Amino acid sequence: MTLLAVERIKLRSTRSAWCCAALAVALTLTFAAMFAAGSATTAPVTVTSTQFGSGVGLLIVMVMATLAVTTEYRYGTIRATFVAAPRRTQVLLAKAAVVALISAVLGELCSFGSVAAAKLAVPTADLAIDTPFEWRAVAGTGLVFALAGTFAVAIGALVRHSAGAIALLIGYTQGAEQLVQFIPKAGPAIHHWLPFNVGNKFLTGDADPITANAHDGLPPSDATLGPWPALIYFAGFTALALGAALVTTAKRDA
């Protein structure tokens, strides 16, 4: 519990964490309001369409999670942390737990806040969250943010350099997973099993019949797993990344 409290204080006292958190929520809600206002004249605003900007929020939260690790290596404070708590794996686990919790809270603020922002922009829109799919698409965002934040912590611990870790995350999530589809023959099959594509299936899979053709929210995933198995798969991939970070952190010099 002491390590958890220490990591919470560290993150709370870091300016970059506050800036990233504020930026993630602000941009996500702004995108939701703008998209709702812009599309209201041509198509009905739906609960899923309000989540249009959550991908941007997720990316910023992952940057925050990465900086929570790499900033300590940059300024050398990680050495003092490891002297005070020699069991390095416990330190990293505590940091991952704190970041996951904060990421989950930010995910819920982004998702439910987007619904509220769209409602303010288009007061006549019917944005009641009624169906299991709508609840999963909105409330489930916190789970995906938590796992993605944990994955970003692992990458930060493995790379230990802010620019390199952030570039790797952005390059993979925004580029590599999409470009894989262009590999002849095997590309689409590989893309079905890439972690962030699968994680997105939890939020976009098994859409309600009345909104199944509405591709105005998050881009639908083409993963073959169902929504809940997809979340478990994404969690497993995150656990593998964190496991690799734990082993590396325990063996390398600070």
Side-chain angles (χ1 to χ4, degrees):
M1 295 301 292
T2 301
L3 282 175
L4 290 173
V6 169
E7 293 301 329
R8 176 180 55 81
I9 292 171
K10 283 182 185 178
L11 198 60
R12 189 179 63 184
S13 60
T14 303
R15 183 180 300 177
S16 62
W18 285 100
C19 291
C20 287
L23 188 62
V25 175
L27 284 180
T28 304
L29 269 60
T30 300
F31 275 121
M34 292 176 60
F35 188 84
S39 63
T41 56
T42 58
V45 180
T46 64
V47 171
T48 53
S49 71
T50 65
Q51 304 304 303
F52 173 75
S54 63
V56 176
L58 177 63
L59 192 61
I60 298 173
V61 167
M62 291 176 68
V63 170
M64 177 201 73
T66 305
L67 291 175
V69 181
T70 58
T71 300
E72 286 210 63
Y73 281 101
R74 177 184 178 185
Y75 292 106
T77 56
I78 195 69
R79 298 188 185 93
T81 299
F82 287 157
V83 169
R87 295 184 178 180
R88 298 181 178 187
T89 55
Q90 292 186 359
V91 174
L92 187 57
L93 285 172
K95 190 180 292 292
V98 171
V99 169
L101 179 59
I102 293 175
S103 298
V105 172
L106 289 174
E108 297 303 302
L109 287 175
C110 287
S111 58
F112 283 97
S114 292
V115 176
K119 185 66 175 178
L120 287 175
V122 186
T124 58
D126 180 11
L127 296 180
I129 305 174
D130 297 321
T131 67
F133 165 69
E134 291 174 338
W135 275 108
R136 177 162 39 82
V138 178
T141 301
L143 294 175
V144 175
F145 271 52
L147 291 173
T150 304
F151 177 78
V153 167
I155 296 301
L158 287 168
V159 178
R160 303 200 300 184
H161 187 274
S162 297
I166 292 172
L168 180 61
L169 281 172
I170 295 176
Y172 177 76
T173 58
Q174 305 303 306
E177 284 208 356
Q178 285 69 38
L179 292 175
V180 163
Q181 300 177 80
F182 296 101
I183 297 176
K185 297 182 180 180
I190 296 173
H191 185 253
H192 290 167
W193 296 98
L194 294 180
F196 283 86
N197 179 47
V198 176
N200 188 40
K201 185 61 176 283
F202 175 68
L203 299 176
T204 63
D206 293 350
D208 295 327
I210 58 173
T211 58
N213 295 323
H215 298 296
D216 48 7
L218 286 173
S221 169
D222 61 357
T224 56
L225 293 174
W228 288 101
L231 182 67
I232 295 172
Y233 179 93
F234 189 38
F237 182 86
T238 300
L240 287 175
L242 183 60
L246 290 170
V247 172
T248 303
T249 301
K251 292 184 176 181
R252 283 194 306 196
D253 292 336

